Amino acid sequence: RIDVVTHFGPNDTPLRLEQDADGDGRFETQTTLENGAPALVERDRDGDGNADVRVSYKDGAEFQTEQDDDFDGVFEVRFAAVAGGGQEQTEDRNGDGTPDVKIVLDANGEVTRREEDRNFDGKPDLVATFVGGVARSLRQDSNGRGCFDREEDYDAAGALVEIRLDENGDCKIDLWSHTSNGRTDWQAQDQRGDGKATVLTRFDAQNRPSHQELRSEGKRRPDTKLFFHTDGDVRSQCLDTDGRGGFDLRYRVSGGTVTEGLVDTNNDGVGDTRQVYSGGALAHAEIDTDGNGRADVVQYLGGGAVIRQCEDADGDGSIDQCFEGEGLADVTEPTGVTDVSAALGKLSCGDFHPFWRR
């Protein structure tokens, strides 16, 4: 039997080959030639007379294979070469002519990217990336809203690093959780629904909140930082009151009541005024007026007004004159006042978390 038929064009140029490879009398393979080289190979595997495998060639090399694996006349599986020696695989699972699964492999045959359209709306609702066979990221639309509501990032070892969630379904991320050594070390939340975090909480090794950063309404960046005792009570509060991005005021808190404030008026991180509170009310203030880091003026308050002021006029670290009203008063070492010879100290609030710079 004849098992190969060659069709020629003008000038005896071969245009097409028909082959009966299995000797059953049917030509199940057809090869289209260009300049004597294969350009397209079509095979009929089920014998129905219709091709169910198509292999395309470019520059003499195979670059795309299409398969109709369920023999319904639709080529639902496709393999194509990509730059760098890799391959892209696609599959149309519902037969609508649009790929629902796409897998990209590198030159070593390892998957680098996988996309799936699980609800057949034409948009991927799962996208995963891989490096060296290890998962590095996952994006998922779990509710079919057309946007990713779950995003996960992994480190080079495949360990989870960060999760981002859209919990209210508005297609904006409103929860960010960062993981280190298998535990959540910080978490940020959008509590106002504007797509921007309003609070970030850091956790200690026992998963207890250690401090918290807050973005006040109307502010573009955080302006408050709270530090917690292990029992959850606030021990200190730092504020950015001038909007410069750094801290200029720190309060110490005991039992929910402010006991001390340290004010940095020139944004150098060092206190210029210490405010001492009694029963939640400002009792006296220690002020550095000459910029040497130590208080040289102490003001005592009553009813919200200064009732006594003492000064270290010669800068020797000791009070040497006091005033009450318009006149001089006896110079006495004020009871309960921190030694004015000691430095007011730094605010020691640290910085806002790098997350806010995203």
Side-chain angles (χ1 to χ4, degrees), residues 67-89:
Q67 296 178 188
D68 173 14
D69 287 340
D70 56 8
F71 309 113
D72 64 351
V74 177
F75 291 88
E76 67 274 351
V77 179
R78 173 180 170 270
F79 305 88
V82 296
Q87 185 184 81
E88 180 182 277
Q89 302 175 359

Side-chain angles (χ1 to χ4, degrees), residues 143 145 147-150 164-175:
N143 295 308
R145 294 189 177 93
C147 57
F148 296 123
D149 49 46
R150 184 181 185 91
R164 297 176 292 278
L165 301 175
D166 169 20
E167 294 194 311
N168 63 1
D170 65 353
C171 288
K172 297 177 182 178
I173 297 298
D174 44 46
L175 178 66

Side-chain angles (χ1 to χ4, degrees), residues 116-168:
E116 295 184 23
D117 174 14
R118 295 177 172 179
N119 60 0
F120 309 119
D121 65 352
K123 299 178 182 178
D125 35 55
L126 185 146
V127 177
T129 62
F130 305 82
V131 176
V134 177
R136 297 303 302 271
S137 71
L138 174 70
R139 305 291 182 263
Q140 187 172 356
D141 175 9
S142 59
N143 295 308
R145 294 189 177 93
C147 57
F148 296 123
D149 49 46
R150 184 181 185 91
E151 302 178 356
E152 299 180 5
D153 293 333
Y154 302 85
D155 65 17
L160 180 64
V161 173
E162 186 171 326
I163 299 177
R164 297 176 292 278
L165 301 175
D166 169 20
E167 294 194 311
N168 63 1

Side-chain angles (χ1 to χ4, degrees), residues 13-331:
T13 302
L15 299 179
R16 190 172 79 253
L17 298 176
E18 297 180 41
Q19 296 173 278
D20 173 14
D22 55 11
D24 64 353
R26 294 183 302 105
F27 293 98
E28 71 277 350
T29 303
Q30 293 195 34
T31 303
T32 301
L33 305 172
E34 290 183 0
N35 299 319
L40 176 67
V41 176
E42 299 174 281
R43 288 196 296 272
D44 173 15
R45 294 175 295 177
D46 64 348
D48 67 352
N50 297 313
D52 43 63
V53 175
R54 290 192 305 221
V55 182
S56 302
Y57 292 81
K58 186 176 182 180
D59 299 325
E62 180 180 324
F63 81 93
Q64 177 174 281
T65 299
E66 299 168 278
Q67 296 178 188
D68 173 14
D69 287 340
D70 56 8
F71 309 113
D72 64 351
V74 177
F75 291 88
E76 67 274 351
V77 179
R78 173 180 170 270
F79 305 88
V82 296
Q87 185 184 81
E88 180 182 277
Q89 302 175 359
T90 61
E91 182 180 356
D92 174 16
R93 290 180 170 176
N94 66 341
D96 65 354
T98 301
D100 313 306
V101 177
K102 181 170 75 172
I103 302 174
V104 180
L105 298 90
D106 62 18
N108 297 318
E110 292 185 332
V111 175
T112 61
R113 184 180 180 89
R114 181 183 181 92
E115 299 181 11
E116 295 184 23
D117 174 14
R118 295 177 172 179
N119 60 0
F120 309 119
D121 65 352
K123 299 178 182 178
D125 35 55
L126 185 146
V127 177
T129 62
F130 305 82
V131 176
V134 177
R136 297 303 302 271
S137 71
L138 174 70
R139 305 291 182 263
Q140 187 172 356
D141 175 9
S142 59
N143 295 308
R145 294 189 177 93
C147 57
F148 296 123
D149 49 46
R150 184 181 185 91
E151 302 178 356
E152 299 180 5
D153 293 333
Y154 302 85
D155 65 17
L160 180 64
V161 173
E162 186 171 326
I163 299 177
R164 297 176 292 278
L165 301 175
D166 169 20
E167 294 194 311
N168 63 1
D170 65 353
C171 288
K172 297 177 182 178
I173 297 298
D174 44 46
L175 178 66
W176 298 256
S177 293
H178 189 273
T179 301
S180 180
N181 297 320
R183 68 173 185 86
T184 300
D185 53 2
W186 62 261
Q187 188 175 82
Q189 291 177 280
D190 171 17
Q191 298 172 323
R192 288 194 284 269
D194 61 2
K196 300 178 181 178
T198 55
V199 56
L200 183 147
T201 305
R202 300 194 199 187
F203 301 91
D204 64 18
Q206 285 72 45
N207 292 320
R208 298 172 301 203
S210 59
H211 52 280
Q212 194 172 73
E213 299 171 6
L214 306 169
R215 179 174 66 90
S216 299
E217 190 166 1
K219 298 292 182 67
R220 297 176 57 188
R221 52 192 177 189
D223 54 0
T224 302
K225 189 174 186 178
L226 304 176
F227 294 83
F228 300 100
H229 290 293
T230 56
D231 63 2
D233 286 344
V234 175
R235 60 182 175 86
S236 62
Q237 176 179 354
C238 296
L239 302 173
D240 172 17
T241 64
D242 57 13
R244 296 184 182 181
F247 297 106
D248 50 74
L249 174 59
R250 184 200 68 203
Y251 289 119
R252 294 194 186 280
V253 182
S254 178
T257 302
V258 173
T259 60
E260 179 186 291
L262 189 61
V263 183
D264 172 17
T265 58
N266 58 2
N267 293 103
D268 63 357
V270 177
D272 306 303
T273 299
R274 177 184 288 117
Q275 302 167 332
V276 179
Y277 292 78
S278 177
L282 182 59
H284 71 262
E286 305 163 21
I287 307 168
D288 172 18
T289 64
D290 58 10
N292 68 355
R294 299 192 303 268
D296 48 70
V297 173
V298 181
Q299 295 179 335
Y300 297 86
L301 292 88
V306 176
I307 58 175
R308 177 182 175 87
Q309 177 168 309
C310 295
E311 302 174 356
D312 171 16
D314 55 12
D316 64 354
S318 299
I319 297 296
D320 45 46
Q321 61 184 22
C322 294
F323 302 89
E324 290 183 4
E326 298 295 328
L328 290 169
D330 291 338
V331 176

